[in-house]
Amino acid sequence: MNSALYLLNSIQRWDVLTFRIISSGNTSGTLTGLAKAVSFSGNGYLYPLIPIFLFTFGFSQILEFVQIATIGFAAERSAYSITKNSFKRRRPANVLPNYQSIIQAADEFSFPSGHTSAAFFIVSLLLLLYGPVFMILYLWAGLVALSRLILGVHFPTDLLVGSLMGSSIAYISFRLLF
């Protein structure tokens, strides 16, 4: 077996083992309820409210934020879609025997996590534009990622790549447009 294939198989084994440890598939309880709420907060419905928040609390460069966010999100969503439809990695419930996810995902592929990518994109952009005052939001972005794992719709590497993708595209968008 060549070393690249061995490495990929090792990553897959780690991914499944870590997934099984964190995602119990238990559909009741406080943790599941919190995971559903946090996951919902990463659906994107709240993102249009960010400029209102910035205005309300006296932040400057709101138009620049909207411009970079709009163009950057278009790039992030495109990269996410191309990657997801190129790799076509099946979701845990579709590949793991006797496993059922807590929620039904909107599409059939899991790699990378779109919720995670978008959350890390928006937090990274806020941090780049406004500084460390928004650093705490990385906790929220990390919880969005973790919620997707707890709910059983993503493997850990889906989240890792999603976070790197969102953060990288925010950085590139910021450097190119600001």
Side-chain angles (χ1 to χ4, degrees), residues 44-76:
Y45 303 118
L46 301 176
Y47 296 160
L49 299 177
I50 294 172
I52 296 168
F53 171 87
L54 294 171
F55 177 77
T56 302
F57 290 96
F59 286 90
S60 61
Q61 301 172 314
I62 298 169
L63 292 178
E64 290 86 348
F65 169 80
V66 170
Q67 176 188 10
I68 297 169
T70 302
I71 294 168
F73 257 129
E76 183 273 332

Short mmCIF file of all heavy atoms in Angstrom, two decimals, residues 44-76:
data_model
loop_
_atom_site.label_atom_id
_atom_site.label_comp_id
_atom_site.label_asym_id
_atom_site.label_seq_id
_atom_site.Cartn_x
_atom_site.Cartn_y
_atom_site.Cartn_z
N GLY A 44 -27.30 31.03 8.79
CA GLY A 44 -27.11 32.21 7.94
C GLY A 44 -28.22 33.23 8.04
O GLY A 44 -28.08 34.34 7.53
N TYR A 45 -29.30 32.90 8.70
CA TYR A 45 -30.43 33.83 8.80
C TYR A 45 -30.07 35.10 9.57
O TYR A 45 -30.65 36.15 9.33
CB TYR A 45 -31.62 33.16 9.49
CG TYR A 45 -32.10 31.90 8.81
CD1 TYR A 45 -32.07 30.68 9.46
CD2 TYR A 45 -32.57 31.95 7.50
CE1 TYR A 45 -32.49 29.52 8.83
CE2 TYR A 45 -33.00 30.79 6.86
CZ TYR A 45 -32.97 29.59 7.53
OH TYR A 45 -33.39 28.46 6.90
N LEU A 46 -29.14 34.99 10.50
CA LEU A 46 -28.78 36.13 11.33
C LEU A 46 -27.69 37.01 10.71
O LEU A 46 -27.49 38.14 11.15
CB LEU A 46 -28.32 35.65 12.71
CG LEU A 46 -29.34 34.84 13.50
CD1 LEU A 46 -28.74 34.34 14.80
CD2 LEU A 46 -30.60 35.66 13.76
N TYR A 47 -26.99 36.51 9.71
CA TYR A 47 -25.88 37.27 9.13
C TYR A 47 -26.28 38.64 8.59
O TYR A 47 -25.52 39.60 8.75
CB TYR A 47 -25.17 36.46 8.05
CG TYR A 47 -24.49 35.20 8.56
CD1 TYR A 47 -24.16 34.17 7.70
CD2 TYR A 47 -24.18 35.02 9.90
CE1 TYR A 47 -23.54 33.01 8.15
CE2 TYR A 47 -23.56 33.88 10.37
CZ TYR A 47 -23.25 32.88 9.49
OH TYR A 47 -22.63 31.74 9.95
N PRO A 48 -27.45 38.78 7.96
CA PRO A 48 -27.84 40.13 7.48
C PRO A 48 -28.04 41.14 8.61
O PRO A 48 -28.06 42.35 8.36
CB PRO A 48 -29.15 39.88 6.73
CG PRO A 48 -29.08 38.45 6.31
CD PRO A 48 -28.36 37.75 7.44
N LEU A 49 -28.18 40.67 9.85
CA LEU A 49 -28.35 41.59 10.98
C LEU A 49 -27.02 42.18 11.46
O LEU A 49 -27.02 43.14 12.25
CB LEU A 49 -29.05 40.87 12.13
CG LEU A 49 -30.45 40.34 11.85
CD1 LEU A 49 -30.98 39.61 13.06
CD2 LEU A 49 -31.38 41.47 11.43
N ILE A 50 -25.91 41.64 11.01
CA ILE A 50 -24.61 42.10 11.49
C ILE A 50 -24.38 43.58 11.19
O ILE A 50 -23.94 44.32 12.08
CB ILE A 50 -23.47 41.22 10.95
CG1 ILE A 50 -23.60 39.81 11.56
CG2 ILE A 50 -22.10 41.82 11.26
CD1 ILE A 50 -22.66 38.79 10.96
N PRO A 51 -24.67 44.08 9.98
CA PRO A 51 -24.48 45.52 9.75
C PRO A 51 -25.33 46.39 10.69
O PRO A 51 -24.88 47.46 11.13
CB PRO A 51 -24.90 45.72 8.29
CG PRO A 51 -24.70 44.38 7.67
CD PRO A 51 -25.02 43.38 8.74
N ILE A 52 -26.52 45.93 11.03
CA ILE A 52 -27.37 46.67 11.97
C ILE A 52 -26.71 46.70 13.34
O ILE A 52 -26.68 47.74 14.01
CB ILE A 52 -28.79 46.04 12.03
CG1 ILE A 52 -29.47 46.18 10.66
CG2 ILE A 52 -29.63 46.68 13.13
CD1 ILE A 52 -30.72 45.36 10.51
N PHE A 53 -26.17 45.57 13.77
CA PHE A 53 -25.44 45.50 15.03
C PHE A 53 -24.25 46.46 15.01
O PHE A 53 -24.04 47.22 15.96
CB PHE A 53 -24.95 44.07 15.28
CG PHE A 53 -24.01 43.94 16.44
CD1 PHE A 53 -24.49 43.76 17.72
CD2 PHE A 53 -22.63 44.02 16.24
CE1 PHE A 53 -23.62 43.65 18.80
CE2 PHE A 53 -21.75 43.92 17.32
CZ PHE A 53 -22.25 43.74 18.60
N LEU A 54 -23.49 46.42 13.93
CA LEU A 54 -22.31 47.30 13.82
C LEU A 54 -22.71 48.77 13.90
O LEU A 54 -22.08 49.57 14.59
CB LEU A 54 -21.56 47.01 12.52
CG LEU A 54 -20.90 45.63 12.41
CD1 LEU A 54 -20.38 45.40 11.00
CD2 LEU A 54 -19.80 45.46 13.45
N PHE A 55 -23.78 49.13 13.20
CA PHE A 55 -24.26 50.52 13.21
C PHE A 55 -24.74 50.91 14.60
O PHE A 55 -24.39 51.98 15.11
CB PHE A 55 -25.40 50.68 12.18
CG PHE A 55 -25.99 52.05 12.18
CD1 PHE A 55 -25.33 53.11 11.57
CD2 PHE A 55 -27.19 52.29 12.82
CE1 PHE A 55 -25.88 54.39 11.58
CE2 PHE A 55 -27.76 53.56 12.84
CZ PHE A 55 -27.08 54.61 12.22
N THR A 56 -25.53 50.03 15.21
CA THR A 56 -26.09 50.31 16.53
C THR A 56 -25.01 50.57 17.57
O THR A 56 -25.17 51.43 18.44
CB THR A 56 -26.99 49.14 16.99
OG1 THR A 56 -28.03 48.95 16.02
CG2 THR A 56 -27.60 49.40 18.35
N PHE A 57 -23.91 49.84 17.47
CA PHE A 57 -22.86 49.98 18.47
C PHE A 57 -21.70 50.87 18.01
O PHE A 57 -20.62 50.86 18.60
CB PHE A 57 -22.37 48.60 18.92
CG PHE A 57 -23.39 47.90 19.75
CD1 PHE A 57 -24.26 46.98 19.17
CD2 PHE A 57 -23.54 48.19 21.10
CE1 PHE A 57 -25.24 46.35 19.93
CE2 PHE A 57 -24.51 47.57 21.86
CZ PHE A 57 -25.37 46.64 21.28
N GLY A 58 -21.95 51.68 16.97
CA GLY A 58 -21.02 52.72 16.59
C GLY A 58 -19.77 52.29 15.85
O GLY A 58 -18.77 53.03 15.83
N PHE A 59 -19.79 51.13 15.25
CA PHE A 59 -18.63 50.70 14.47
C PHE A 59 -18.61 51.46 13.14
O PHE A 59 -19.66 51.80 12.59
CB PHE A 59 -18.68 49.19 14.20
CG PHE A 59 -18.36 48.36 15.41
CD1 PHE A 59 -19.37 47.95 16.28
CD2 PHE A 59 -17.05 48.00 15.69
CE1 PHE A 59 -19.08 47.19 17.39
CE2 PHE A 59 -16.76 47.23 16.81
CZ PHE A 59 -17.77 46.83 17.66
N SER A 60 -17.43 51.71 12.64
CA SER A 60 -17.28 52.40 11.36
C SER A 60 -17.09 51.38 10.25
O SER A 60 -17.08 50.17 10.50
CB SER A 60 -16.07 53.35 11.43
OG SER A 60 -14.90 52.61 11.66
N GLN A 61 -16.93 51.83 9.05
CA GLN A 61 -16.63 51.00 7.87
C GLN A 61 -17.68 49.92 7.63
O GLN A 61 -17.35 48.82 7.18
CB GLN A 61 -15.24 50.38 7.99
CG GLN A 61 -14.14 51.41 8.13
CD GLN A 61 -12.80 50.80 8.43
OE1 GLN A 61 -12.69 49.93 9.28
NE2 GLN A 61 -11.78 51.26 7.73
N ILE A 62 -18.92 50.26 7.88
CA ILE A 62 -19.99 49.28 7.70
C ILE A 62 -20.19 48.96 6.22
O ILE A 62 -20.39 47.79 5.85
CB ILE A 62 -21.30 49.76 8.36
CG1 ILE A 62 -21.07 49.90 9.87
CG2 ILE A 62 -22.45 48.81 8.07
CD1 ILE A 62 -22.16 50.62 10.62
N LEU A 63 -20.13 49.97 5.38
CA LEU A 63 -20.28 49.72 3.94
C LEU A 63 -19.15 48.83 3.41
O LEU A 63 -19.40 47.96 2.58
CB LEU A 63 -20.35 51.03 3.17
CG LEU A 63 -21.60 51.86 3.41
CD1 LEU A 63 -21.54 53.17 2.63
CD2 LEU A 63 -22.86 51.09 3.04
N GLU A 64 -17.95 49.06 3.90
CA GLU A 64 -16.83 48.21 3.51
C GLU A 64 -17.05 46.77 3.97
O GLU A 64 -16.80 45.82 3.23
CB GLU A 64 -15.50 48.74 4.07
CG GLU A 64 -15.03 50.02 3.45
CD GLU A 64 -15.61 51.28 4.11
OE1 GLU A 64 -16.57 51.18 4.92
OE2 GLU A 64 -15.10 52.37 3.81
N PHE A 65 -17.57 46.64 5.20
CA PHE A 65 -17.87 45.30 5.71
C PHE A 65 -18.89 44.61 4.80
O PHE A 65 -18.70 43.46 4.42
CB PHE A 65 -18.40 45.35 7.15
CG PHE A 65 -18.95 44.03 7.60
CD1 PHE A 65 -18.11 43.03 8.03
CD2 PHE A 65 -20.32 43.78 7.54
CE1 PHE A 65 -18.61 41.78 8.42
CE2 PHE A 65 -20.83 42.55 7.93
CZ PHE A 65 -19.97 41.56 8.37
N VAL A 66 -19.96 45.31 4.46
CA VAL A 66 -21.01 44.72 3.62
C VAL A 66 -20.45 44.33 2.26
O VAL A 66 -20.74 43.25 1.74
CB VAL A 66 -22.21 45.69 3.48
CG1 VAL A 66 -23.20 45.21 2.43
CG2 VAL A 66 -22.90 45.87 4.84
N GLN A 67 -19.63 45.20 1.69
CA GLN A 67 -19.04 44.91 0.37
C GLN A 67 -18.15 43.66 0.44
O GLN A 67 -18.29 42.75 -0.37
CB GLN A 67 -18.23 46.10 -0.12
CG GLN A 67 -17.52 45.83 -1.43
CD GLN A 67 -16.56 46.95 -1.81
OE1 GLN A 67 -16.27 47.84 -1.04
NE2 GLN A 67 -16.06 46.88 -3.03
N ILE A 68 -17.23 43.64 1.39
CA ILE A 68 -16.32 42.49 1.50
C ILE A 68 -17.10 41.22 1.85
O ILE A 68 -16.83 40.15 1.30
CB ILE A 68 -15.22 42.77 2.54
CG1 ILE A 68 -14.36 43.95 2.10
CG2 ILE A 68 -14.34 41.53 2.74
CD1 ILE A 68 -13.42 44.46 3.18
N ALA A 69 -18.06 41.34 2.76
CA ALA A 69 -18.85 40.18 3.16
C ALA A 69 -19.64 39.62 1.98
O ALA A 69 -19.70 38.40 1.78
CB ALA A 69 -19.79 40.53 4.31
N THR A 70 -20.23 40.49 1.18
CA THR A 70 -21.03 40.04 0.04
C THR A 70 -20.17 39.32 -0.99
O THR A 70 -20.49 38.21 -1.42
CB THR A 70 -21.76 41.24 -0.60
OG1 THR A 70 -22.59 41.87 0.39
CG2 THR A 70 -22.61 40.80 -1.78
N ILE A 71 -19.07 39.95 -1.38
CA ILE A 71 -18.19 39.33 -2.37
C ILE A 71 -17.52 38.09 -1.79
O ILE A 71 -17.43 37.05 -2.44
CB ILE A 71 -17.15 40.36 -2.88
CG1 ILE A 71 -17.88 41.47 -3.65
CG2 ILE A 71 -16.09 39.69 -3.75
CD1 ILE A 71 -17.02 42.68 -3.96
N GLY A 72 -17.08 38.20 -0.54
CA GLY A 72 -16.43 37.06 0.12
C GLY A 72 -17.37 35.88 0.30
O GLY A 72 -16.97 34.73 0.09
N PHE A 73 -18.62 36.15 0.68
CA PHE A 73 -19.58 35.05 0.83
C PHE A 73 -19.85 34.38 -0.51
O PHE A 73 -20.00 33.15 -0.57
CB PHE A 73 -20.90 35.54 1.43
CG PHE A 73 -21.07 35.20 2.88
CD1 PHE A 73 -21.42 36.19 3.78
CD2 PHE A 73 -20.88 33.92 3.37
CE1 PHE A 73 -21.58 35.91 5.13
CE2 PHE A 73 -21.03 33.62 4.71
CZ PHE A 73 -21.38 34.62 5.59
N ALA A 74 -19.91 35.16 -1.57
CA ALA A 74 -20.09 34.57 -2.90
C ALA A 74 -18.92 33.63 -3.22
O ALA A 74 -19.12 32.52 -3.72
CB ALA A 74 -20.22 35.66 -3.95
N ALA A 75 -17.71 34.06 -2.89
CA ALA A 75 -16.53 33.21 -3.11
C ALA A 75 -16.56 31.99 -2.19
O ALA A 75 -16.28 30.86 -2.63
CB ALA A 75 -15.25 34.02 -2.87
N GLU A 76 -16.91 32.20 -0.92
CA GLU A 76 -16.95 31.10 0.04
C GLU A 76 -18.00 30.06 -0.35
O GLU A 76 -17.75 28.87 -0.34
CB GLU A 76 -17.25 31.65 1.46
CG GLU A 76 -17.25 30.62 2.56
CD GLU A 76 -18.60 29.95 2.75
OE1 GLU A 76 -19.63 30.60 2.45
OE2 GLU A 76 -18.63 28.80 3.20
#
